[in-house]
Amino acid sequence: MKHILLGTLLALPFAISSLPSQASAAEIIVRPNVHRAVIVHRPGVARFERKLIPAHWETVRRGNRWVKIKVPARYVNVRV
């Protein structure tokens, strides 16, 4: 008797999921795959200007702090 009850309990979720459900009435729009022409952009010449950075950020207990220094200042490239 236990085997029959166990078998029906295991088969019950499968039986419920196999029942037909009502179809969705939502409108389905199918768009064909239209291939667009590929536009190839030529890379422009990037111009850089060297700029002196006389300070940097330091992490301290209360957050970050902007520290101005004389040496070693550094140069970075900045896009013009």
Side-chain angles (χ1 to χ4, degrees), residues 2-3 11-12 14-15 17 25 31 36 38 50 58 63 67 78:
K2 290 180 185 176
H3 293 292
L12 188 62
F14 295 113
S17 65
R31 292 189 178 143
R36 294 184 180 164
V38 178
R50 292 178 62 80
E58 279 186 0
V67 181
V78 179

Side-chain angles (χ1 to χ4, degrees), residues 6-37:
L6 185 64
T8 54
L9 286 176
L10 288 174
L12 188 62
F14 295 113
I16 292 174
S17 65
S18 66
L19 292 175
S21 61
Q22 194 171 16
S24 174
E27 189 175 331
I28 298 173
I29 300 171
V30 178
R31 292 189 178 143
N33 227 358
V34 178
H35 297 288
R36 294 184 180 164

